[in-house]
Amino acid sequence: MDFVNELKKICGSNLLLKKEDLYVYAHDTSQNPDNIILPLAVVFPRNTKEVSDIIKVLNKYNVPCVPRAQGTNHCGGTRLTKKSVVIHFSKMDKIIEIDKNNLIAKVQPNVVIGDLNKELDKLNLFFPPDPSNLAVSTIGGAIALCAGGPRTFKYGNTKDYIINLEVVLADGTIIETSKDLAKNVTGYNITSLFVGSEGTLGIVTQATLKLIPKPEERLLTLSYFDSLENAAKCVNNIINSGFIPSTLDLLDNNTIKTIERFNPCGLLTDKEAVLLIELDGFKSCVKYEQDILKEILIKSDAVNIVQAKNQEENEEIWRARRSAYSAVTQLKPNVVTEDIVVPKSKIVECIKKINEISSKYGIIVCIMGHAGDGNIHPNFALDLSNENEKINFEKLKDELFYYAISIGGTLSAEHGIGMHKKKYLKDALNYGAFDLMLKIKKLLDVKNLINPDKMF
Ligand SMILES: Cc1cc2nc3c(=O)[nH]c(=O)nc-3n(C[C@H](O)[C@H](O)[C@H](O)COP(=O)(O)OP(=O)(O)OC[C@H]3O[C@@H](n4cnc5c(N)ncnc54)[C@H](O)[C@@H]3O)c2cc1C
C-alpha cells in the first residue's frame, strides 16, 4: 500500500497497522455490534503540519479518514462505514496557554475537559460545557458534537465558548476560522460552521476557548415528586420565579431505581421523579437563593427536599447523577442513549409517549433529561444479539423520532447525528436546511473523504 509508506514517512512509529491493534479503533460507545469495519491504519499526528501532510496523502490516494478522540460519542461518529484511516489525537493533548487577562485558553484537540477545568480552577476560571463524562471526553470531541450537558440551561453549550479554531481542510489547507478576539463579525461566522460538524467538514487542530470566572459556590438541591406532572410544573415555577439554575435535570423512577440497585447513593426509590437543581454564584447569594428555592419547591408539591450544605454533599449528589448511565449498562448487554429535544411545555407528554412506545415493544427504558432545555435522554437497555429485540428497537426509534419531530422537537440536542440517526435527518430538517447543509459538505469535502457517511 503506497499510501502507508507515505504515512510512515510523516508519522514514523506513531502508526498502527496490526489487526489486533486496529480492532480497538473500530468501536465507540454507540451500540451496534453489526458491520464492524477495521481501519486500514491508525495514525497519531503530533502537530498541525503532520495532520495536514496526512490529509494530503489520503487525498492523493482517495483514502477516507475518521478523526477520533476518546470514542465516547453516542451516535456512531467514530465508527467506520468504509475502509478508512483513523486519525487519533492523543499526541495533541496540550494546554498551550491560559490567558487570564483576556479570559481565553488555547488548547490542542485532545485536552480532556476535566483536566482543563482542574487547571482553570487554580486560576478561579471556568469552562462550562460538561458532556457529563468530563473525566474522559475531549475538547475536540465536544467541538465536533457541540456537546452540552447539565449546565447548558444557564451557560449555553460548546458553541458559546469557541472563539477561534485552527482547522485542516479536506485538501490539507490549514486555516483559522477567526481571530482570538471576544467579538468579531468580520465576515461569515465560520467558527460556528465547524462547531457541531461532527468531523465531516475539516479536522480541528487547535481551539481558542472563551473562559468565565469560576462561581464561588455551587450547591445542589434534590427535589422529589409523586408525579412527572408535578416535577414539570415545578420546572416552570422555578423559571417563572426568575431563577436560572446552572442545572435543572430530571430523573424518572426507573432511573432512580436502577441507580439505587447498582450504585446505591440513598435516592428515594418510591418517588416518581426527582429534580436536581444546582445554584451557583457568590456564596451569600447561593445561600439566599437556596432558601427561596425551597419555598418554591414546597409550593410546587415536592414531597421530599434534600439540600447540599457543602461541597462534599454536592459531590455525593453529582456522583449519583453521573453514575446513571453506568447503572443502566448493568441491566442488559447494550445501552443506547437517545437525545431528543422538545419544547419545554411538551416534556411530560413526551416522557409518557417514550414509556408507552417502549412498553409496546417490550424494551426497558430509564429516562433522564436536562429539563430546563427540553432535552430528554431515554436510556434503552437492550440485548442487540437478540434479533427480535433489534427489530423492535428499530421500530421504536422510528416512532420516537417522528413523534419528536411532530410535536416541534428534533433528533438531537447535544449528541449529534453520526451514522445512527442519519436516516431521519432529511425529515428533521424539512425547513430547507438539509439541501444547504449537503451543499456545504460537498463544497468543503469534494471527494467525500472526511468522516464519510456521517450525518448524510
Ligand atoms: C456517560 C456519558 C454521558 C454523556 N453525557 C453527555 C451530556 O450530558 N451532554 C453531552 O453533550 N454529551 C454527553 N455525552 C456524549 C459526549 O458528547 C461525548 O461523549 C463527547 O463529547 C465526545 O468526546 P470524545 O473525546 O470521546 O470524542 P469522540 O467520540 O472520539 O468523537 C466525537 C466526534 O468528534 C469527531 N472528532 C473528534 N476529534 C476531532 C477533531 N480533532 N476534529 C474534527 N472532528 C473530531 C469524531 O469524528 C466524532 O464524530 C455523554 C457520553 C457518555 C459516555
Side-chain angles (χ1 to χ4, degrees):
M1 287 190 285
D2 289 344
F3 78 90
V4 171
N5 290 330
E6 292 200 36
L7 290 179
K8 274 182 189 161
K9 280 187 203 145
I10 300 165
C11 301
S13 59
N14 296 315
L15 173 111
L16 299 177
L17 292 168
K18 283 191 207 143
K19 197 172 176 184
E20 59 270 33
D21 292 333
L22 300 176
Y23 194 76
V24 180
Y25 300 90
H27 296 267
D28 59 25
T29 307
S30 69
Q31 309 272 313
N32 187 346
D34 292 341
N35 306 325
I36 295 297
I37 299 174
L38 287 191
L40 295 164
V42 182
V43 289
F44 301 87
R46 289 161 289 192
N47 52 51
T48 305
K49 163 102 176 41
E50 285 189 3
V51 176
S52 167
D53 290 345
I54 290 165
I55 293 291
K56 283 178 186 161
V57 168
L58 299 181
N59 212 342
K60 180 170 147 192
Y61 291 95
N62 293 318
V63 178
C65 69
V66 175
R68 180 181 175 107
Q70 306 283 57
T72 65
N73 69 88
H74 288 299
C75 62
T78 39
R79 291 274 305 281
L80 273 61
T81 57
K82 53 181 69 149
K83 287 278 176 196
S84 313
V85 168
V86 168
I87 305 181
H88 197 280
F89 295 97
S90 53
K91 298 206 180 294
M92 294 177 69
D93 62 351
K94 309 278 174 307
I95 298 174
I96 298 164
E97 182 189 5
I98 298 175
D99 178 346
K100 191 165 181 173
N101 290 331
N102 286 306
L103 286 175
I104 58 173
K106 268 187 194 232
V107 296
Q108 290 188 311
N110 231 69
V111 167
V112 170
I113 296 176
D115 293 346
L116 173 67
N117 267 321
K118 273 185 207 147
E119 289 307 309
L120 296 177
D121 235 39
K122 296 174 193 164
L123 301 166
N124 276 325
L125 294 172
F126 178 40
F127 176 71
D130 165 9
S132 296
N133 59 343
L134 44 69
V136 184
S137 63
T138 66
I139 296 287
I143 291 171
L145 296 173
C146 192
R151 297 205 175 97
T152 52
F153 180 60
K154 177 168 182 177
Y155 290 107
N157 58 19
T158 303
K159 72 175 181 320
D160 301 307
Y161 296 88
I162 306 300
I163 287 180
N164 185 13
L165 293 173
E166 180 186 73
V167 179
V168 175
L169 299 176
D171 63 357
T173 311
I174 302 166
I175 63 153
E176 281 188 67
T177 57
S178 184
K179 293 182 91 173
D180 294 345
L181 299 167
K183 294 168 84 176
N184 182 1
V185 294
T186 315
Y188 293 135
N189 183 355
I190 55 170
T191 308
S192 268
L193 179 63
F194 286 95
V195 179
S197 66
E198 301 191 15
T200 63
L201 299 181
I203 313 288
V204 174
T205 47
Q206 190 175 297
T208 307
L209 313 176
K210 172 178 148 180
L211 309 174
I212 59 171
K214 185 188 155 199
E216 192 185 17
E217 182 75 292
R218 292 184 178 127
L219 286 179
L220 268 164
T221 296
L222 276 182
S223 179
Y224 292 90
F225 296 88
D226 275 338
S227 72
L228 277 170
E229 282 85 353
N230 282 350
K233 197 177 68 189
C234 181
V235 169
N236 288 336
N237 292 346
I238 293 169
I239 297 169
N240 292 338
S241 308
F243 275 97
I244 304 189
S246 51
T247 296
L248 192 40
D249 275 9
L250 177 141
L251 310 182
D252 77 345
N253 176 262
N254 261 356
T255 307
I256 298 171
K257 278 190 191 145
T258 308
I259 293 174
E260 280 309 302
R261 184 166 157 206
F262 297 106
N263 302 323
C265 314
L267 298 178
L268 304 179
T269 53
D270 60 336
K271 306 294 180 272
E272 276 308 303
V274 62
L275 288 179
L276 268 89
I277 310 151
E278 190 178 66
L279 301 171
D280 68 358
F282 288 109
K283 269 189 179 151
S284 52
C285 295
V286 172
K287 185 74 206 71
Y288 171 73
E289 288 181 1
Q290 263 201 331
D291 292 342
I292 306 179
L293 176 66
K294 195 167 183 178
E295 285 170 26
I296 298 168
L297 298 176
I298 292 167
K299 280 190 194 140
S300 305
D301 299 321
V303 288
N304 201 294
I305 299 166
V306 182
Q307 292 195 301
K309 287 183 260 344
N310 51 45
Q311 282 319 301
E312 290 70 48
E313 289 180 17
N314 222 45
E315 281 316 304
E316 192 56 20
I317 301 174
W318 269 121
R319 192 175 69 77
R321 164 68 179 88
R322 290 188 193 283
S323 68
Y325 176 79
S326 71
V328 183
T329 60
Q330 312 212 31
L331 290 171
K332 286 245 182 162
N334 308 96
V335 176
V336 175
T337 301
E338 287 306 347
D339 174 41
I340 54 173
V341 53
V342 297
K344 266 202 287 284
S345 56
K346 304 268 173 73
I347 283 190
V348 173
E349 177 190 328
C350 183
I351 291 178
K352 287 189 169 163
K353 187 74 176 180
I354 294 170
N355 281 321
E356 181 194 312
I357 308 173
S358 304
S359 79
K360 174 170 147 192
Y361 291 110
I363 288 173
I364 301 170
V365 64
C366 298
I367 301 173
M368 48 196 177
H370 309 305
D373 303 319
N375 180 195
I376 302 171
H377 294 311
N379 288 301
F380 297 102
L382 305 151
D383 180 357
L384 291 172
S385 66
N386 176 330
E387 205 48 41
N388 211 19
E389 189 141 295
K390 211 164 129 187
I391 293 167
N392 278 339
F393 187 55
E394 283 307 307
K395 290 183 189 160
L396 180 156
K397 279 196 297 182
D398 288 352
E399 279 194 40
L400 173 68
F401 291 130
Y402 287 116
Y403 164 76
I405 295 167
S406 75
I407 62 164
T410 197
L411 309 176
S412 177
E414 49 185 29
H415 290 176
I417 302 302
M419 59 190 276
H420 293 323
K421 273 168 278 190
K422 64 180 186 171
K423 83 172 192 189
Y424 309 103
L425 192 68
K426 197 166 184 174
D427 290 324
L429 299 177
N430 60 2
Y431 37 84
F434 182 84
D435 289 343
L436 180 62
M437 288 189 199
L438 199 52
K439 277 185 200 159
I440 292 171
K441 167 70 177 169
K442 285 180 179 163
L443 179 73
L444 289 188
D445 183 15
V446 179
K447 293 183 173 179
N448 193 24
L449 295 179
I450 309 279
N451 215 359
D453 309 319
K454 307 294 163 56
M455 273 209 220
F456 303 106

